């Protein structure tokens, strides 16, 4: 049986995806990334004073429903465009695990490159448990003879889906303070061999977790970018791409974190009307969706989805 896993770029017609879930949310403890300069003052206040008081507790239902509503609307659009949708298994934190749990951002615990499903290695301890929710899906693909690659837990390698942007024959890997590292990038190159060239891209803002929080590829040598968040100049051949550039506010609101459904259709946040007009000028049909609550947790449509198969 030939595996149906196939991801060679970010913009072929999306056919199958893992979409995050938000059955229950658990409040984390404070983490250093929230105190970096990129975090707004209100988020720094919440994480320094509220999280330590409430850590480990289940988030109130009114808040959980906000995330559920946004994911449900995104799912409807995916289904309407003929995408087959999977979800992680909803899990609960275990007593020996660090506080906090959110399973909305399915992009990071696992990722697909070419015909391989790779189990990510997450650096922030609170997020490491998310991989447990993916195990049943991994087993299903394994039974279908998919190529499953696992990073050893104690390897010191970190590789997260939000940092990995595929555009064969190149794979770009964001290198930052709190997520993927150079060792993870080299491991991915070893796995892919001569199938693709893995190109590290350094994040210069330590408060940005992943590459797709400041850059996304949306077509053949086309993308959306916040240049000030990345190394200058961009590494070859990324420096030859044509980009729509966003400002600081749009970047902070996860404006680069879009999801391409097919070469002509793209999902973006409703509030980014200037970006919508730029994309329409490039010939895209835009599907605008309210995703404000996810963006407040520094994620949006790409973060919430792990593509399994694109044409």
């Amino acid at each position: 049986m030939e595996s149906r896993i196939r991801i060679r770029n970010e913009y072929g017609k999306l056919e199958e995806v893992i979409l995050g879930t938000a059955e229950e949310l658990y409040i984390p403890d404070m983490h250093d990334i929230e105190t970096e300069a990129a975090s707004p003052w209100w988020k720094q206040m919440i994480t320094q004073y509220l999280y330590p008081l409430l850590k480990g507790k289940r988030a109130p239902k009114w808040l959980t429903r906000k995330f559920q509503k946004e994911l449900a609307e995104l799912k409807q659009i995916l289904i309407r465009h003929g995408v087959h949708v999977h979800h992680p298994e909803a899990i609960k934190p275990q007593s020996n695990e660090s506080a906090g749990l959110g399973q909305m951002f399915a992009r990071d615990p696992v990722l697909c490159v070419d015909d391989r499903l790779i189990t990510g290695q997450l650096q922030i301890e609170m997020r490491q448990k998310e991989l447990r929710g993916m195990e049943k899906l991994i087993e299903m693909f394994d039974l279908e003879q998919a190529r499953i690659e696992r990073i050893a837990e104690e390897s010191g390698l970190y590789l997260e889906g939000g940092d990995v942007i595929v555009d064969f024959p190149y794979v770009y890997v964001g290198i930052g303070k709190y997520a993927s590292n150079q060792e993870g990038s080299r491991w991915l190159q070893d796995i892919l061999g001569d199938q693709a060239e893995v190109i590290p891209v350094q994040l210069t803002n330590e408060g940005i977790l992943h590459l797709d929080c400041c850059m996304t590829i949306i077509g053949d040598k086309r993308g959306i970018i916040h240049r000030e968040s990345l190394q200058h100049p961009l590494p070859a051949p990324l420096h030859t791409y044509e980009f729509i550039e966003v400002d600081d506010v749009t970047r902070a609101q996860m404006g680069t974190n879009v999801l391409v459904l097919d070469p002509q259709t793209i999902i973006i946040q409703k509030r980014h009307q200037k970006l919508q007009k730029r994309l329409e000028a490039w010939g895209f049909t835009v599907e605008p969706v309210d995703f404000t609550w996810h963006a407040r947790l520094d994620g949006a449509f790409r973060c919430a989805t792990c593509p399994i198969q694109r044409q």
Side-chain angles (χ1 to χ4, degrees), residues 248-306:
D248 295 349
V249 173
T250 306
R251 203 259 5 125
Q253 294 175 345
M254 297 293 112
T256 64
N257 203 270
V258 300
L259 180 66
V260 179
L261 293 175
D262 60 54
Q264 291 80 40
T265 313
I266 191 167
I267 300 176
I268 74 167
Q269 293 184 61
K270 279 183 179 178
R271 56 182 166 177
H272 296 148
Q273 296 182 5
K274 183 178 178 180
L275 177 59
Q276 177 174 335
K277 291 177 180 177
R278 296 284 302 277
L279 289 166
E280 288 172 342
W282 271 9
F284 281 98
T285 298
V286 173
E287 290 270 11
V289 180
D290 183 5
F291 225 58
T292 306
W293 284 92
H294 282 79
R296 287 172 178 156
L297 293 185
D298 297 323
F301 307 109
R302 192 177 189 275
C303 294
T305 53
C306 174

Side-chain angles (χ1 to χ4, degrees), residues 160-219:
E160 309 190 8
D163 280 320
V164 180
I165 296 181
V166 183
D167 195 19
F168 264 51
Y170 306 105
V171 178
Y172 302 103
V173 177
I175 308 298
K177 186 175 180 179
Y178 298 105
S180 305
N181 58 14
Q182 290 282 2
E183 292 80 4
S185 175
R186 286 192 287 267
W187 177 89
L188 182 58
Q189 182 66 81
D190 290 342
I191 291 297
L192 295 176
D194 58 5
Q195 288 180 277
E197 181 181 356
V198 176
I199 300 174
V201 183
Q202 186 69 46
L203 279 68
T204 57
N205 186 330
E206 293 181 343
I208 295 176
L209 185 59
H210 293 131
L211 180 59
D212 65 8
C213 297
C214 50
M215 188 193 84
T216 312
I217 294 173
I218 60 173

Side-chain angles (χ1 to χ4, degrees), residues 126-141:
M126 184 273 289
R127 296 203 60 194
Q128 293 171 359
K129 64 179 78 67
E130 295 173 34
L131 188 55
R132 286 199 288 112
M134 295 289 187
E135 287 297 342
K136 287 188 176 180
L137 287 173
I138 295 169
E139 289 175 11
M140 178 188 75
F141 288 116

